[in-house]
């Protein structure tokens, strides 16, 4: 059995640094990216969501919806105006605004029949903030300084990247079944025939087993690595 090849170390190290640089690359790209069609579609889609929650609240206390909507519009615009030139993540931005809106409407909510319907109130706050946010982005574009989360990026790092890693390492293991651990650890050591000549070929079942082990280990490892980096960034 051979020790891990140097190029395997290069692949793993390169993948790690690519993930670390993703946040920086996304921020730089955002500075030059125009408002996408996704934002325009998002405004239309989120408007329907807001209308649905408005109809639900109207059955109990329509004044609360007006208060939430007005507060969301005010605090989203205020937060963008006051954040300066610093770029901020969409998730962090919305979390801060939601806290401010909840505090502002609390007194009015305590006097309303909606005070015992917190889940619906929270859903309404989130929906109105999302709509106000999308409207501001559609007006300001990159000048808003918000790093928006791309669904494609989420899909790539959480699904496609681990699958690609599993596929590449699985393919390499299939070609070199006795060179890449931990799959290579299951390959019996090949001893030259007593009469001399080349080594006997690896048993096909051993090749399949080694390939499956490496595909699973490196695929799950890539997914765990992505999860750890996301966790570190959130902190």
């Amino acid at each position: 059995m051979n020790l891990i090849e140097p190029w395997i170390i290069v692949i793993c190290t390169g993948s790690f640094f690519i993930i670390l640089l993703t946040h920086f690359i996304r921020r730089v790209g955002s500075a030059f990216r125009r408002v996408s069609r996704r934002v325009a579609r998002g405004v239309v889609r989120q408007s329907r969501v807001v209308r649905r929650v408005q109809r639900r609240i109207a059955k109990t206390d329509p004044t609360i919806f007006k208060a939430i909507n007005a507060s969301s519009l005010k605090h989203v615009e205020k937060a963008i105006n006051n954040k300066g030139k610093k770029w901020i993540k969409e998730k962090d931005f919305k979390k801060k605004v939601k806290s401010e809106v909840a505090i502002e409407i609390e007194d009015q909510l305590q006097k309303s029949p909606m005070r015992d319907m917190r889940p619906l109130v929270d859903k309404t706050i989130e929906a109105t903030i999302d709509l106000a946010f999308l409207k501001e982005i559609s007006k300001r574009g990159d000048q808003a300084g918000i790093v928006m989360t791309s669904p494609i990026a989420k899909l790539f790092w959480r699904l496609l990247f681990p699958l690609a890693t599993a596929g590449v390492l699985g393919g390499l293991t299939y070609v070199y079944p006795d060179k890449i651990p931990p799959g290579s650890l299951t390959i019996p050591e090949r001893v030259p025939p007593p009469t001399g000549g080349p080594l006997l070929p690896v048993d096909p079942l051993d090749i399949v087993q080694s390939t499956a082990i490496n595909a699973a280990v490196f695929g799950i490892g890539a997914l765990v690595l992505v999860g750890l980096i996301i966790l570190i960034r959130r902190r």
Side-chain angles (χ1 to χ4, degrees):
M1 290 182 293
N2 296 321
L3 295 177
I4 187 168
E5 297 286 346
W7 47 268
I8 298 297
I9 299 177
V10 172
I11 291 175
C12 295
T13 305
S15 300
F16 179 77
F17 281 105
I18 288 173
I19 296 173
L20 288 179
L21 290 173
T22 301
H23 178 61
F24 172 77
I25 294 172
R26 185 171 64 242
R27 288 184 60 180
V28 173
S30 297
F32 300 97
R33 187 173 62 249
R34 295 181 179 275
V35 177
S36 65
R37 294 180 181 178
R38 182 169 67 91
V39 174
R41 290 195 298 266
V43 171
V44 176
R45 184 169 55 251
Q46 195 60 32
S47 296
R48 291 196 292 265
V49 174
V50 171
R51 285 196 294 268
R52 285 199 295 269
V53 296
Q54 182 181 6
R55 287 194 293 268
R56 293 179 62 185
I57 286 184
K59 298 176 181 178
T60 306
D61 187 357
T63 60
I64 284 294
F65 175 81
K66 294 179 181 178
I68 292 174
N69 190 51
S71 180
S72 296
L73 291 170
K74 180 181 72 174
H75 283 289
V76 167
E77 183 178 6
K78 180 181 176 182
I80 293 178
N81 291 336
N82 293 343
K83 75 175 191 57
K85 297 182 179 180
K86 181 181 178 182
W87 283 76
I88 186 173
K89 291 182 180 179
E90 176 184 351
K91 182 178 180 180
D92 296 337
F93 176 85
K94 290 181 178 180
K95 183 178 180 181
K96 177 183 177 182
V97 172
K98 181 180 178 181
S99 175
E100 294 171 348
V101 172
I103 292 172
E104 184 174 27
I105 69 165
E106 183 61 30
D107 289 341
Q108 187 173 346
L109 183 62
Q110 289 298 326
K111 302 173 185 176
S112 168
M114 298 288 299
R115 62 181 177 274
D116 297 325
M117 304 173 67
R118 291 286 178 175
L120 180 56
V121 172
D122 288 341
K123 184 177 180 179
T124 304
I125 293 175
E126 292 172 357
T128 53
I129 288 175
D130 288 343
L131 180 57
F133 171 79
L134 289 171
K135 287 181 176 179
E136 287 294 327
I137 294 298
S138 67
K139 290 190 298 183
R140 303 178 187 236
D142 298 326
Q143 299 301 318
I146 305 294
V147 180
M148 297 184 66
T149 303
S150 170
I152 297 177
K154 286 184 177 181
L155 177 67
F156 175 80
W157 291 115
R158 291 168 172 78
L159 179 63
L160 298 183
F161 177 71
L163 288 177
T165 302
V168 170
L169 270 299
L172 290 173
T173 303
Y174 186 82
V175 178
Y176 306 105
D178 58 343
K179 293 184 179 298
I180 306 174
S184 62
L185 301 178
T186 64
I187 304 295
E189 186 174 357
R190 292 186 292 169
V191 180
T195 57
L199 297 175
L200 296 175
V202 181
D203 187 277
L205 291 178
D206 291 335
I207 294 177
V208 171
Q209 179 176 281
S210 178
T211 301
I213 290 174
N214 277 355
V217 169
F218 285 99
I220 295 174
L223 183 60
V224 170
L225 178 61
V226 171
L228 288 174
I229 292 176
I230 291 174
L231 180 63
I232 292 172
R233 285 179 178 173
R234 287 178 179 174
R235 292 184 176 180

